[in-house]
mmCIF file of all heavy atoms in Angstrom:
data_model
loop_
_atom_site.group_PDB
_atom_site.id
_atom_site.type_symbol
_atom_site.label_atom_id
_atom_site.label_comp_id
_atom_site.label_asym_id
_atom_site.label_seq_id
_atom_site.Cartn_x
_atom_site.Cartn_y
_atom_site.Cartn_z
ATOM 1 N N SER A 1 97.570 114.927 63.477
ATOM 2 C CA SER A 1 96.284 114.255 63.530
ATOM 3 C C SER A 1 95.452 114.983 64.629
ATOM 4 O O SER A 1 95.970 115.862 65.272
ATOM 5 C CB SER A 1 96.452 112.782 63.762
ATOM 6 O OG SER A 1 97.014 112.551 65.004
ATOM 7 N N LYS A 2 94.239 114.456 64.808
ATOM 8 C CA LYS A 2 93.422 115.099 65.799
ATOM 9 C C LYS A 2 93.995 114.870 67.253
ATOM 10 O O LYS A 2 94.057 115.792 68.058
ATOM 11 C CB LYS A 2 91.978 114.431 65.769
ATOM 12 C CG LYS A 2 91.056 115.099 66.748
ATOM 13 C CD LYS A 2 89.607 114.526 66.637
ATOM 14 C CE LYS A 2 88.670 115.133 67.618
ATOM 15 N NZ LYS A 2 87.339 114.591 67.480
ATOM 16 N N GLY A 3 94.498 113.671 67.484
ATOM 17 C CA GLY A 3 95.058 113.388 68.808
ATOM 18 C C GLY A 3 96.342 114.195 69.002
ATOM 19 O O GLY A 3 96.647 114.638 70.107
ATOM 20 N N VAL A 4 97.166 114.240 67.901
ATOM 21 C CA VAL A 4 98.457 114.983 68.021
ATOM 22 C C VAL A 4 98.209 116.475 68.255
ATOM 23 O O VAL A 4 98.918 117.082 69.093
ATOM 24 C CB VAL A 4 99.302 114.733 66.744
ATOM 25 C CG1 VAL A 4 100.489 115.643 66.770
ATOM 26 C CG2 VAL A 4 99.757 113.276 66.631
ATOM 27 N N SER A 5 97.230 117.022 67.653
ATOM 28 C CA SER A 5 96.941 118.423 67.763
ATOM 29 C C SER A 5 96.510 118.786 69.198
ATOM 30 O O SER A 5 96.761 119.898 69.681
ATOM 31 C CB SER A 5 95.845 118.875 66.789
ATOM 32 O OG SER A 5 94.677 118.139 67.035
ATOM 33 N N GLN A 6 95.925 117.801 69.889
ATOM 34 C CA GLN A 6 95.524 118.100 71.265
ATOM 35 C C GLN A 6 96.727 118.201 72.222
ATOM 36 O O GLN A 6 96.667 118.963 73.209
ATOM 37 C CB GLN A 6 94.637 116.968 71.721
ATOM 38 C CG GLN A 6 93.262 116.950 71.036
ATOM 39 C CD GLN A 6 92.397 115.807 71.447
ATOM 40 O OE1 GLN A 6 92.822 114.902 72.226
ATOM 41 N NE2 GLN A 6 91.133 115.769 71.028
ATOM 42 N N GLY A 7 97.757 117.501 71.893
ATOM 43 C CA GLY A 7 98.957 117.553 72.785
ATOM 44 C C GLY A 7 100.082 118.321 72.180
ATOM 45 O O GLY A 7 101.249 118.225 72.715
ATOM 46 N N ALA A 8 99.799 119.106 71.147
ATOM 47 C CA ALA A 8 100.859 119.868 70.448
ATOM 48 C C ALA A 8 101.511 120.908 71.369
ATOM 49 O O ALA A 8 102.731 121.079 71.326
ATOM 50 C CB ALA A 8 100.342 120.532 69.192
ATOM 51 N N ASN A 9 100.705 121.578 72.137
ATOM 52 C CA ASN A 9 101.284 122.627 73.041
ATOM 53 C C ASN A 9 102.211 122.027 74.080
ATOM 54 O O ASN A 9 103.241 122.583 74.407
ATOM 55 C CB ASN A 9 100.152 123.342 73.726
ATOM 56 C CG ASN A 9 99.348 124.226 72.771
ATOM 57 O OD1 ASN A 9 99.886 124.650 71.731
ATOM 58 N ND2 ASN A 9 98.109 124.523 73.035
ATOM 59 N N ALA A 10 101.844 120.865 74.606
ATOM 60 C CA ALA A 10 102.700 120.205 75.626
ATOM 61 C C ALA A 10 103.982 119.738 74.977
ATOM 62 O O ALA A 10 105.078 119.826 75.576
ATOM 63 C CB ALA A 10 101.963 118.982 76.217
ATOM 64 N N ALA A 11 103.919 119.285 73.723
ATOM 65 C CA ALA A 11 105.104 118.823 73.039
ATOM 66 C C ALA A 11 106.044 120.003 72.795
ATOM 67 O O ALA A 11 107.302 119.873 72.996
ATOM 68 C CB ALA A 11 104.786 118.083 71.690
ATOM 69 N N ARG A 12 105.511 121.101 72.365
ATOM 70 C CA ARG A 12 106.342 122.329 72.139
ATOM 71 C C ARG A 12 106.943 122.851 73.430
ATOM 72 O O ARG A 12 108.072 123.327 73.465
ATOM 73 C CB ARG A 12 105.527 123.403 71.449
ATOM 74 C CG ARG A 12 104.995 123.006 70.046
ATOM 75 C CD ARG A 12 104.358 124.225 69.342
ATOM 76 N NE ARG A 12 103.768 123.865 68.069
ATOM 77 C CZ ARG A 12 102.541 123.594 67.848
ATOM 78 N NH1 ARG A 12 101.648 123.696 68.879
ATOM 79 N NH2 ARG A 12 102.038 123.266 66.683
ATOM 80 N N ALA A 13 106.142 122.753 74.497
ATOM 81 C CA ALA A 13 106.670 123.191 75.770
ATOM 82 C C ALA A 13 107.849 122.325 76.281
ATOM 83 O O ALA A 13 108.815 122.835 76.751
ATOM 84 C CB ALA A 13 105.546 123.132 76.855
ATOM 85 N N ALA A 14 107.710 121.052 76.072
ATOM 86 C CA ALA A 14 108.854 120.137 76.437
ATOM 87 C C ALA A 14 110.044 120.425 75.637
ATOM 88 O O ALA A 14 111.204 120.453 76.160
ATOM 89 C CB ALA A 14 108.401 118.671 76.186
ATOM 90 N N ILE A 15 109.937 120.733 74.339
ATOM 91 C CA ILE A 15 111.113 121.058 73.494
ATOM 92 C C ILE A 15 111.691 122.392 73.931
ATOM 93 O O ILE A 15 112.945 122.533 74.057
ATOM 94 C CB ILE A 15 110.674 121.077 72.001
ATOM 95 C CG1 ILE A 15 110.233 119.705 71.547
ATOM 96 C CG2 ILE A 15 111.798 121.598 71.143
ATOM 97 C CD1 ILE A 15 109.639 119.673 70.167
ATOM 98 N N THR A 16 110.847 123.381 74.175
ATOM 99 C CA THR A 16 111.332 124.728 74.492
ATOM 100 C C THR A 16 112.084 124.761 75.818
ATOM 101 O O THR A 16 113.136 125.298 75.926
ATOM 102 C CB THR A 16 110.161 125.682 74.577
ATOM 103 O OG1 THR A 16 109.470 125.714 73.306
ATOM 104 C CG2 THR A 16 110.615 127.112 74.933
ATOM 105 N N PHE A 17 111.502 124.097 76.830
ATOM 106 C CA PHE A 17 112.140 124.082 78.172
ATOM 107 C C PHE A 17 113.328 123.143 78.226
ATOM 108 O O PHE A 17 114.222 123.318 79.101
ATOM 109 C CB PHE A 17 111.135 123.761 79.240
ATOM 110 C CG PHE A 17 110.201 124.890 79.561
ATOM 111 C CD1 PHE A 17 108.958 124.996 78.977
ATOM 112 C CD2 PHE A 17 110.624 125.866 80.483
ATOM 113 C CE1 PHE A 17 108.151 126.099 79.259
ATOM 114 C CE2 PHE A 17 109.799 126.951 80.755
ATOM 115 C CZ PHE A 17 108.524 127.027 80.148
ATOM 116 N N SER A 18 113.371 122.193 77.271
ATOM 117 C CA SER A 18 114.636 121.408 77.173
ATOM 118 C C SER A 18 115.800 122.293 76.698
ATOM 119 O O SER A 18 116.946 122.226 77.180
ATOM 120 C CB SER A 18 114.432 120.245 76.160
ATOM 121 O OG SER A 18 113.523 119.331 76.638
ATOM 122 N N PHE A 19 115.487 123.206 75.784
ATOM 123 C CA PHE A 19 116.471 124.137 75.268
ATOM 124 C C PHE A 19 116.864 125.144 76.395
ATOM 125 O O PHE A 19 118.109 125.389 76.585
ATOM 126 C CB PHE A 19 115.963 124.874 74.086
ATOM 127 C CG PHE A 19 116.882 125.999 73.581
ATOM 128 C CD1 PHE A 19 118.003 125.658 72.824
ATOM 129 C CD2 PHE A 19 116.684 127.331 73.845
ATOM 130 C CE1 PHE A 19 118.876 126.603 72.385
ATOM 131 C CE2 PHE A 19 117.491 128.330 73.419
ATOM 132 C CZ PHE A 19 118.647 127.946 72.685
ATOM 133 N N PHE A 20 115.929 125.640 77.159
ATOM 134 C CA PHE A 20 116.253 126.527 78.254
ATOM 135 C C PHE A 20 117.082 125.842 79.343
ATOM 136 O O PHE A 20 117.963 126.456 79.926
ATOM 137 C CB PHE A 20 114.967 127.094 78.863
ATOM 138 C CG PHE A 20 114.224 128.076 77.957
ATOM 139 C CD1 PHE A 20 112.899 128.304 78.138
ATOM 140 C CD2 PHE A 20 114.912 128.736 76.950
ATOM 141 C CE1 PHE A 20 112.206 129.201 77.337
ATOM 142 C CE2 PHE A 20 114.228 129.621 76.166
ATOM 143 C CZ PHE A 20 112.887 129.896 76.331
ATOM 144 N N SER A 21 116.822 124.534 79.517
ATOM 145 C CA SER A 21 117.557 123.807 80.523
ATOM 146 C C SER A 21 119.018 123.688 80.184
ATOM 147 O O SER A 21 119.895 123.669 81.090
ATOM 148 C CB SER A 21 116.963 122.398 80.697
ATOM 149 O OG SER A 21 115.612 122.485 81.194
ATOM 150 N N ILE A 22 119.330 123.679 78.904
ATOM 151 C CA ILE A 22 120.762 123.531 78.444
ATOM 152 C C ILE A 22 121.478 124.832 78.959
ATOM 153 O O ILE A 22 122.526 124.770 79.527
ATOM 154 C CB ILE A 22 120.888 123.532 76.915
ATOM 155 C CG1 ILE A 22 120.144 122.232 76.420
ATOM 156 C CG2 ILE A 22 122.306 123.496 76.513
ATOM 157 C CD1 ILE A 22 120.091 122.177 74.860
ATOM 158 N N ILE A 23 120.837 126.002 78.756
ATOM 159 C CA ILE A 23 121.444 127.230 79.162
ATOM 160 C C ILE A 23 121.719 127.333 80.646
ATOM 161 O O ILE A 23 122.759 127.699 81.129
ATOM 162 C CB ILE A 23 120.608 128.397 78.673
ATOM 163 C CG1 ILE A 23 120.450 128.412 77.173
ATOM 164 C CG2 ILE A 23 121.241 129.765 79.107
ATOM 165 C CD1 ILE A 23 119.481 129.422 76.550
ATOM 166 N N VAL A 24 120.667 126.905 81.412
ATOM 167 C CA VAL A 24 120.773 127.013 82.870
ATOM 168 C C VAL A 24 121.828 126.073 83.427
ATOM 169 O O VAL A 24 122.630 126.457 84.329
ATOM 170 C CB VAL A 24 119.425 126.775 83.484
ATOM 171 C CG1 VAL A 24 119.556 126.852 85.025
ATOM 172 C CG2 VAL A 24 118.393 127.779 83.006
ATOM 173 N N TRP A 25 121.871 124.834 82.912
ATOM 174 C CA TRP A 25 122.883 123.852 83.399
ATOM 175 C C TRP A 25 124.257 124.253 83.011
ATOM 176 O O TRP A 25 125.228 124.039 83.751
ATOM 177 C CB TRP A 25 122.502 122.458 82.912
ATOM 178 C CG TRP A 25 121.476 121.826 83.750
ATOM 179 C CD1 TRP A 25 120.139 121.671 83.368
ATOM 180 C CD2 TRP A 25 121.595 121.260 85.061
ATOM 181 N NE1 TRP A 25 119.465 121.003 84.410
ATOM 182 C CE2 TRP A 25 120.364 120.788 85.447
ATOM 183 C CE3 TRP A 25 122.674 121.136 85.942
ATOM 184 C CZ2 TRP A 25 120.136 120.188 86.645
ATOM 185 C CZ3 TRP A 25 122.425 120.513 87.139
ATOM 186 C CH2 TRP A 25 121.212 120.054 87.499
ATOM 187 N N VAL A 26 124.470 124.844 81.841
ATOM 188 C CA VAL A 26 125.743 125.390 81.446
ATOM 189 C C VAL A 26 126.163 126.496 82.436
ATOM 190 O O VAL A 26 127.358 126.596 82.855
ATOM 191 C CB VAL A 26 125.744 125.841 79.994
ATOM 192 C CG1 VAL A 26 126.982 126.656 79.706
ATOM 193 C CG2 VAL A 26 125.562 124.708 79.051
ATOM 194 N N ALA A 27 125.232 127.382 82.790
ATOM 195 C CA ALA A 27 125.494 128.427 83.728
ATOM 196 C C ALA A 27 125.965 127.851 85.124
ATOM 197 O O ALA A 27 126.814 128.376 85.769
ATOM 198 C CB ALA A 27 124.313 129.334 83.921
ATOM 199 N N LEU A 28 125.275 126.786 85.532
ATOM 200 C CA LEU A 28 125.605 126.126 86.769
ATOM 201 C C LEU A 28 127.026 125.479 86.696
ATOM 202 O O LEU A 28 127.790 125.552 87.694
ATOM 203 C CB LEU A 28 124.613 125.035 87.125
ATOM 204 C CG LEU A 28 123.256 125.528 87.694
ATOM 205 C CD1 LEU A 28 122.285 124.361 87.775
ATOM 206 C CD2 LEU A 28 123.441 126.192 89.077
ATOM 207 N N ALA A 29 127.324 124.957 85.559
ATOM 208 C CA ALA A 29 128.721 124.388 85.409
ATOM 209 C C ALA A 29 129.765 125.489 85.434
ATOM 210 O O ALA A 29 130.844 125.326 86.016
ATOM 211 C CB ALA A 29 128.751 123.658 84.051
ATOM 212 N N VAL A 30 129.445 126.647 84.859
ATOM 213 C CA VAL A 30 130.392 127.775 84.914
ATOM 214 C C VAL A 30 130.594 128.262 86.313
ATOM 215 O O VAL A 30 131.687 128.554 86.767
ATOM 216 C CB VAL A 30 129.891 128.882 83.980
ATOM 217 C CG1 VAL A 30 130.733 130.169 84.168
ATOM 218 C CG2 VAL A 30 129.913 128.486 82.514
ATOM 219 N N LYS A 31 129.461 128.325 87.080
ATOM 220 C CA LYS A 31 129.578 128.716 88.495
ATOM 221 C C LYS A 31 130.445 127.809 89.305
ATOM 222 O O LYS A 31 131.218 128.202 90.118
ATOM 223 C CB LYS A 31 128.151 128.868 89.075
ATOM 224 C CG LYS A 31 127.291 129.982 88.503
ATOM 225 C CD LYS A 31 127.843 131.341 88.893
ATOM 226 C CE LYS A 31 127.757 131.603 90.369
ATOM 227 N NZ LYS A 31 128.282 132.993 90.720
ATOM 228 N N ALA A 32 130.241 126.507 89.065
ATOM 229 C CA ALA A 32 131.011 125.507 89.724
ATOM 230 C C ALA A 32 132.517 125.597 89.403
ATOM 231 O O ALA A 32 133.394 125.484 90.229
ATOM 232 C CB ALA A 32 130.530 124.095 89.486
ATOM 233 N N LEU A 33 132.770 125.913 88.118
ATOM 234 C CA LEU A 33 134.160 126.061 87.695
ATOM 235 C C LEU A 33 134.800 127.298 88.338
ATOM 236 O O LEU A 33 135.989 127.255 88.725
ATOM 237 C CB LEU A 33 134.241 126.209 86.156
ATOM 238 C CG LEU A 33 135.627 126.359 85.545
ATOM 239 C CD1 LEU A 33 136.495 125.147 85.863
ATOM 240 C CD2 LEU A 33 135.487 126.562 84.037
ATOM 241 N N GLN A 34 134.027 128.352 88.496
ATOM 242 C CA GLN A 34 134.555 129.577 89.155
ATOM 243 C C GLN A 34 134.828 129.266 90.613
ATOM 244 O O GLN A 34 135.828 129.740 91.166
ATOM 245 C CB GLN A 34 133.489 130.665 89.032
ATOM 246 C CG GLN A 34 133.324 131.248 87.655
ATOM 247 C CD GLN A 34 132.266 132.277 87.557
ATOM 248 O OE1 GLN A 34 131.464 132.430 88.447
ATOM 249 N NE2 GLN A 34 132.229 133.031 86.430
ATOM 250 N N ARG A 35 133.995 128.517 91.259
ATOM 251 C CA ARG A 35 134.247 128.187 92.674
ATOM 252 C C ARG A 35 135.480 127.255 92.801
ATOM 253 O O ARG A 35 136.247 127.438 93.748
ATOM 254 C CB ARG A 35 133.043 127.435 93.233
ATOM 255 C CG ARG A 35 131.771 128.255 93.357
ATOM 256 C CD ARG A 35 130.563 127.430 93.709
ATOM 257 N NE ARG A 35 130.622 126.902 95.000
ATOM 258 C CZ ARG A 35 129.783 125.987 95.469
ATOM 259 N NH1 ARG A 35 128.797 125.514 94.692
ATOM 260 N NH2 ARG A 35 129.885 125.472 96.744
ATOM 261 N N TYR A 36 135.691 126.390 91.838
ATOM 262 C CA TYR A 36 136.869 125.571 91.889
ATOM 263 C C TYR A 36 138.170 126.350 91.673
ATOM 264 O O TYR A 36 139.141 126.076 92.347
ATOM 265 C CB TYR A 36 136.811 124.439 90.830
ATOM 266 C CG TYR A 36 137.967 123.588 90.794
ATOM 267 C CD1 TYR A 36 138.140 122.588 91.722
ATOM 268 C CD2 TYR A 36 138.901 123.673 89.745
ATOM 269 C CE1 TYR A 36 139.276 121.746 91.705
ATOM 270 C CE2 TYR A 36 140.013 122.814 89.697
ATOM 271 C CZ TYR A 36 140.230 121.852 90.642
ATOM 272 O OH TYR A 36 141.312 121.045 90.642
ATOM 273 N N ARG A 37 138.116 127.301 90.790
ATOM 274 C CA ARG A 37 139.259 128.153 90.564
ATOM 275 C C ARG A 37 139.575 129.053 91.759
ATOM 276 O O ARG A 37 140.740 129.443 91.941
ATOM 277 C CB ARG A 37 139.092 128.978 89.246
ATOM 278 C CG ARG A 37 139.178 128.165 87.963
ATOM 279 C CD ARG A 37 138.954 129.024 86.793
ATOM 280 N NE ARG A 37 139.190 128.326 85.530
ATOM 281 C CZ ARG A 37 139.071 128.805 84.336
ATOM 282 N NH1 ARG A 37 138.732 130.115 84.158
ATOM 283 N NH2 ARG A 37 139.336 128.081 83.257
ATOM 284 N N LEU A 38 138.597 129.381 92.512
ATOM 285 C CA LEU A 38 138.823 130.205 93.697
ATOM 286 C C LEU A 38 139.756 129.418 94.650
ATOM 287 O O LEU A 38 140.586 130.061 95.335
ATOM 288 C CB LEU A 38 137.528 130.577 94.398
ATOM 289 C CG LEU A 38 136.665 131.668 93.787
ATOM 290 C CD1 LEU A 38 135.373 131.844 94.471
ATOM 291 C CD2 LEU A 38 137.400 133.016 93.713
ATOM 292 N N GLY A 39 139.582 128.173 94.743
ATOM 293 C CA GLY A 39 140.406 127.318 95.592
ATOM 294 C C GLY A 39 140.262 127.688 97.053
ATOM 295 O O GLY A 39 139.185 128.010 97.535
ATOM 296 N N THR A 40 141.388 127.636 97.762
ATOM 297 C CA THR A 40 141.360 127.843 99.178
ATOM 298 C C THR A 40 142.257 129.006 99.570
ATOM 299 O O THR A 40 143.361 129.117 99.101
ATOM 300 C CB THR A 40 141.868 126.548 99.946
ATOM 301 O OG1 THR A 40 141.027 125.486 99.510
ATOM 302 C CG2 THR A 40 141.838 126.767 101.409
ATOM 303 N N ASP A 41 141.741 129.827 100.413
ATOM 304 C CA ASP A 41 142.573 130.942 100.952
ATOM 305 C C ASP A 41 143.319 130.406 102.158
ATOM 306 O O ASP A 41 142.784 129.915 103.152
ATOM 307 C CB ASP A 41 141.560 132.107 101.426
ATOM 308 C CG ASP A 41 142.370 133.310 101.878
ATOM 309 O OD1 ASP A 41 143.574 133.215 102.037
ATOM 310 O OD2 ASP A 41 141.736 134.353 102.081
ATOM 311 N N MET A 42 144.650 130.467 102.076
ATOM 312 C CA MET A 42 145.506 129.811 103.099
ATOM 313 C C MET A 42 145.398 130.572 104.432
ATOM 314 O O MET A 42 145.970 130.101 105.453
ATOM 315 C CB MET A 42 146.911 129.753 102.645
ATOM 316 C CG MET A 42 147.167 128.800 101.495
ATOM 317 S SD MET A 42 146.474 127.085 101.824
ATOM 318 C CE MET A 42 147.505 126.618 103.170
ATOM 319 N N SER A 43 144.766 131.711 104.467
ATOM 320 C CA SER A 43 144.609 132.407 105.752
ATOM 321 C C SER A 43 143.692 131.618 106.672
ATOM 322 O O SER A 43 143.690 131.924 107.859
ATOM 323 C CB SER A 43 144.000 133.841 105.494
ATOM 324 O OG SER A 43 142.703 133.678 104.967
ATOM 325 N N LEU A 44 142.974 130.628 106.145
ATOM 326 C CA LEU A 44 142.236 129.778 107.023
ATOM 327 C C LEU A 44 143.131 129.017 107.986
ATOM 328 O O LEU A 44 142.707 128.630 109.055
ATOM 329 C CB LEU A 44 141.387 128.792 106.184
ATOM 330 C CG LEU A 44 140.221 129.326 105.463
ATOM 331 C CD1 LEU A 44 139.604 128.243 104.513
ATOM 332 C CD2 LEU A 44 139.122 129.841 106.366
ATOM 333 N N PHE A 45 144.375 128.794 107.567
ATOM 334 C CA PHE A 45 145.239 127.972 108.396
ATOM 335 C C PHE A 45 146.358 128.782 109.090
ATOM 336 O O PHE A 45 147.237 128.268 109.602
ATOM 337 C CB PHE A 45 145.903 126.890 107.515
ATOM 338 C CG PHE A 45 144.868 126.154 106.705
ATOM 339 C CD1 PHE A 45 144.654 126.481 105.380
ATOM 340 C CD2 PHE A 45 144.116 125.173 107.283
ATOM 341 C CE1 PHE A 45 143.748 125.764 104.635
ATOM 342 C CE2 PHE A 45 143.198 124.482 106.581
ATOM 343 C CZ PHE A 45 142.972 124.744 105.262
ATOM 344 N N ALA A 46 146.249 130.131 109.025
ATOM 345 C CA ALA A 46 147.288 131.007 109.575
ATOM 346 C C ALA A 46 147.162 131.014 111.125
ATOM 347 O O ALA A 46 146.092 130.941 111.674
ATOM 348 C CB ALA A 46 147.181 132.456 109.086
ATOM 349 N N THR A 47 148.322 131.002 111.775
ATOM 350 C CA THR A 47 148.340 131.085 113.225
ATOM 351 C C THR A 47 149.228 132.220 113.631
ATOM 352 O O THR A 47 149.967 132.780 112.874
ATOM 353 C CB THR A 47 148.916 129.786 113.817
ATOM 354 O OG1 THR A 47 150.154 129.530 113.277
ATOM 355 C CG2 THR A 47 147.949 128.594 113.462
ATOM 356 N N ASP A 48 149.242 132.495 114.943
ATOM 357 C CA ASP A 48 149.978 133.627 115.443
ATOM 358 C C ASP A 48 151.524 133.417 115.414
ATOM 359 O O ASP A 48 152.282 134.352 115.459
ATOM 360 C CB ASP A 48 149.613 133.924 116.913
ATOM 361 C CG ASP A 48 148.154 134.387 117.021
ATOM 362 O OD1 ASP A 48 147.670 134.884 115.951
ATOM 363 O OD2 ASP A 48 147.585 134.234 118.060
#
């Protein structure tokens, strides 16, 4: 409709960036998983 056509670009932008957000948050989850798998280097607790 006339009113819908005025906000069509904003609606498409919301849909598009929702899709991009999926990719970025998945990438953040993968980075967190990599950090968890790194664990702890026991040399932090080594003494003479």
Side-chain angles (χ1 to χ4, degrees):
S1 63
K2 183 178 180 180
V4 172
S5 61
Q6 293 177 352
N9 291 333
R12 296 189 184 98
I15 296 172
T16 301
F17 283 94
S18 295
F19 176 76
F20 291 157
S21 296
I22 300 172
I23 300 175
V24 180
W25 280 103
V26 168
L28 284 172
V30 172
K31 292 293 294 182
L33 181 60
Q34 290 176 347
R35 294 170 68 189
Y36 178 76
R37 287 181 174 179
L38 285 175
T40 302
D41 187 348
M42 293 308 296
S43 64
L44 287 172
F45 309 100
T47 58
D48 295 337

